[in-house]
Amino acid sequence: NAGVTQTPKFQVLKTGQSMTLQCAQDMNHNSMYWYRQDPGMGLRLIYYSASEGTTDKGEVPNGYNVSRLNKREFSLRLESAAPSQTSVYFCASSVPGQNSPLHFGNGTRLTVT
Amino acid sequence: GNSVTQMEGPVTLSEEAFLTINCTYTATGYPSLFWYVQYPGEGLQLLLKATKADDKGSNKGFEATYRKETTSFHLEKGSVQVSDSAVYFCALGAQGGSEKLVFGKGTKLTVNP
């Protein structure tokens, strides 16, 4: 039972390089999210997608772009990586609704040097 | 705006000790409240939730009661185990769907044998 799958697990980039973080869920959820987790900061929402074909900015969207490729997949792209984007990135999914729990992937640890 | 404040960590306890992790919130309306747990190397997973005042959420021996009068949702467990070592996040879900989830900064718990 895969749930939410993120790739890669680890990545090191140099400043200015680009990359795409992949996320796929097999739970038929409409809503998908990208968070970043930084020490002492908790989780902060980067972007979310309420349904296939829609995306919206979260709390910290600058420097990122997203694509909701289909119902299963939601990718996060860094066009020109900066050291401030060193973080652990989590993808999550849920059914719509205030009380719906989020289902998280195991994260991508990104270091930008 | 909505916010969550949870006690600073880290917290270190001996096995079978009593655990309390404090969480207070600021919100308009009547939010749902959640506790998520993150085990080492994994994403967050829902531990318990409460959707209205005086509700008690419980799971795996953990409990939390939604106290509107004190705007609190403290996490408790009567006897912790080594396997409870993890980071615990309090979260608030305001009206508008899961994209409005606001997380606390997390409290790291270490339980020693």
Side-chain angles (χ1 to χ4, degrees):
Chain A
N1 195 8
V4 179
T5 303
Q6 291 183 236
T7 55
K9 289 191 166 100
F10 302 94
Q11 184 70 51
V12 178
L13 292 178
K14 294 188 175 165
T15 298
Q17 288 184 319
S18 62
M19 79 161 294
T20 300
L21 281 64
Q22 306 287 352
C23 174
Q25 52 93 8
D26 62 2
M27 294 173 284
N28 204 35
H29 287 165
N30 285 329
S31 302
M32 296 186 74
Y33 314 82
W34 276 105
Y35 286 88
R36 59 178 290 172
Q37 182 180 29
D38 302 293
M41 300 291 290
L43 273 78
R44 293 181 291 170
L45 182 64
I46 305 171
Y47 270 93
Y48 66 95
S49 170
S51 62
E52 185 179 350
T54 67
T55 61
D56 284 288
K57 295 178 181 179
E59 182 185 352
V60 289
N62 291 345
Y64 305 96
N65 286 302
V66 290
S67 295
R68 183 73 183 269
L69 305 170
N70 48 55
K71 192 170 186 180
R72 289 187 64 248
E73 298 172 286
F74 188 39
S75 62
L76 179 72
R77 182 160 179 83
L78 288 71
E79 289 291 352
S80 179
S84 60
Q85 294 178 303
T86 294
S87 187
V88 181
Y89 292 85
F90 287 99
C91 179
S93 70
S94 74
V95 296
Q98 175 187 353
N99 301 326
S100 300
L102 298 180
H103 297 260
F104 284 84
N106 284 340
T108 295
R109 185 174 294 273
L110 175 67
T111 301
V112 183
T113 61
Chain B
N2 296 340
S3 66
V4 171
T5 303
Q6 61 181 105
M7 66 185 286
E8 297 282 330
V11 175
T12 302
L13 296 173
S14 297
E15 205 163 23
E16 299 184 2
F18 185 85
L19 169 71
T20 300
I21 300 178
N22 290 337
C23 172
T24 57
Y25 68 90
T26 302
T28 55
Y30 303 95
S32 295
L33 297 169
F34 305 83
W35 278 101
Y36 282 81
V37 59
Q38 183 181 29
Y39 298 105
E42 298 183 9
L44 282 70
Q45 56 186 272
L46 180 68
L47 181 59
L48 53 84
K49 71 178 183 182
T51 58
K52 60 182 187 295
D54 300 324
D55 265 2
K56 177 185 283 188
S58 62
N59 186 24
K60 298 182 181 180
F62 290 89
E63 292 183 339
T65 301
Y66 189 157
R67 302 278 188 206
K68 193 169 186 298
E69 64 276 13
T70 54
T71 61
S72 65
F73 193 54
H74 304 322
L75 182 68
E76 296 182 336
K77 186 174 185 182
S79 177
V80 293
Q81 305 301 310
V82 172
S83 57
D84 294 326
S85 298
V87 181
Y88 293 82
F89 292 88
C90 186
L92 179 156
Q95 291 177 345
S98 297
E99 68 273 13
K100 304 301 182 188
L101 207 62
V102 174
F103 286 89
K105 294 183 179 181
T107 302
K108 183 175 182 179
L109 169 67
T110 301
V111 180
N112 294 319

